[in-house]
Amino acid sequence: MLSTCRALALAAALAVTTGAAAAPKPASLCNGGLLAILNRPTIGYSTCAVAKHHFVGEFGMQNTVDAAGSNVSLGQGFLRYGLGHGFEADINGPNVVAGSAIPAAGLQDLGLGLKWQFLDKATLGGAFDLIQSFPTARRGVTLGAPSTTFNLDLATALGARAGLGLTLSAIDSSGANSGGRRQRYIALQPSTALTYLLTPRLQAYLEGVALSRTAPDAPGAFTVDGGFQFAATPSLELDIEAARSTSAGIASHYLGLGFGIAI
C-alpha cells in the first residue's frame, strides 16, 4: 500500500513539474466533461446530471485486502441516462464479487436510481440522489432485503483548477447483528473530496469518508482514498484509485481501475 501511495504521489509531482497548462474557467462546474460528470472513482457522488438523451456508463474493478483475506469486485456498473431538466435515471449494477473474505461469489443486488441537479453555477453545484436496491442476488451475496440510499451532493470551485465536493448520505439497509439475526439499520456516510486539475486532461483527487456503522450493531469505518482520472478522449475517461480503511482498529486497503464512457 505504501509503495502504491508513493507511486501516485510521484505521478502527481511529475505532472505538475512538466508545466501543466491552466484550464479555461467553465460557465458551469459540469462543463469539465467526464472528469466532472462521473461519480467514480470517488465514493461520493458528482453534482452533475447527464444531459438529456445522453448515456454515461461507469465501470471498474477493485481488489480489497483485509484481515479475513481478499476479494475482487468486478463490473461496478453504474449506468446513467439523461432525462432533461436536471434529471437522470440510473441503474446500479452489474457487479460481481468473489474472494476469501465474503461468504459466496456472484452477482450483487441491482438497484434503480434518480438524480436531480437543482444547482448548476460556475462555482457552485448541488444535486440529490435516490438509489433503491432490490434483493435480486442469490443467497450468500444478497443483502436479503431492499436498501435505500439518499444523497445530498454539493460542490464548489476553488480557483481555476481545484474543486471541493461534499456528499452527505443516509443509508437504510439490512444486515446481521451480533446474534446472527437479520436487522434493519440506518447509517450516515459523509464524504469530502478535493480535486485538482494537473493538466486539462489529468485530474488528481483525495477523499475522506466516514461511515457511522457497517452493520446493525457494528462500529463505523473511516476511509481515505485517492487517485487519478485521465480524459483519454471527450467520451472516454480512465482512472486508478487506492484507499485505506479502518474499522474497530482493523485496517484494510484496496486498489482499483476503471473507466467511464459517454454516448
Side-chain angles (χ1 to χ4, degrees):
M1 178 64 184
L2 202 54
S3 60
T4 302
C5 293
R6 287 173 178 168
L8 291 174
L10 178 60
L14 288 173
V16 172
T17 55
T18 53
K25 186 176 181 180
S28 160
L29 285 180
C30 300
N31 285 353
L34 282 177
L35 296 184
I37 294 170
L38 292 179
N39 294 317
R40 69 162 300 110
T42 58
I43 296 173
Y45 281 54
S46 168
T47 62
C48 303
V50 175
K52 186 177 182 179
H53 299 326
H54 285 249
F55 168 83
V56 168
E58 307 185 17
F59 305 93
M61 64 174 294
Q62 213 172 70
N63 182 56
T64 303
V65 179
D66 59 22
S70 65
N71 64 279
V72 174
S73 175
L74 180 61
Q76 297 186 319
F78 201 79
L79 313 179
R80 306 166 61 185
Y81 181 75
L83 302 174
H85 303 289
F87 286 92
E88 74 172 43
D90 305 320
I91 298 177
N92 187 8
N95 187 52
V96 175
V97 293
S100 59
I102 57 176
L107 185 69
Q108 288 189 307
D109 294 338
L110 295 179
L112 300 177
L114 184 69
K115 177 189 284 288
W116 174 43
Q117 183 181 358
F118 62 84
L119 182 61
D120 183 18
K121 303 293 184 182
T123 58
L124 291 173
F128 292 114
D129 298 294
L130 180 65
I131 303 102
Q132 179 67 53
S133 71
F134 303 92
T136 57
R138 67 186 182 89
R139 186 175 182 180
V141 183
T142 181
L143 285 176
S147 176
T148 305
T149 300
F150 180 76
N151 296 337
L152 169 60
D153 312 313
L154 300 170
T156 185
L158 303 175
R161 295 188 185 181
L164 184 67
L166 172 68
T167 294
L168 303 174
S169 295
I171 306 166
D172 179 8
S173 191
S174 175
N177 60 25
S178 56
R181 297 180 60 185
R182 184 159 297 277
Q183 179 181 331
R184 296 206 67 81
Y185 67 99
I186 293 178
L188 301 178
Q189 182 175 266
S191 63
T192 302
L194 177 66
T195 60
Y196 188 81
L197 207 58
L198 299 167
T199 77
R201 298 170 64 185
L202 179 63
Q203 178 171 275
Y205 81 92
L206 182 65
E207 181 182 34
V209 185
L211 179 62
S212 63
R213 61 177 68 183
T214 56
D217 50 6
F222 183 75
T223 301
V224 176
D225 61 297
F228 296 95
Q229 295 175 275
F230 177 67
T233 72
S235 59
L236 177 64
E237 174 267 3
L238 307 174
D239 56 67
I240 181 172
E241 57 177 335
R244 183 177 178 86
S245 182
T246 304
S247 178
I250 301 175
S252 64
H253 65 268
Y254 65 75
L255 300 174
L257 299 169
F259 67 94
I261 186 169
I263 298 175

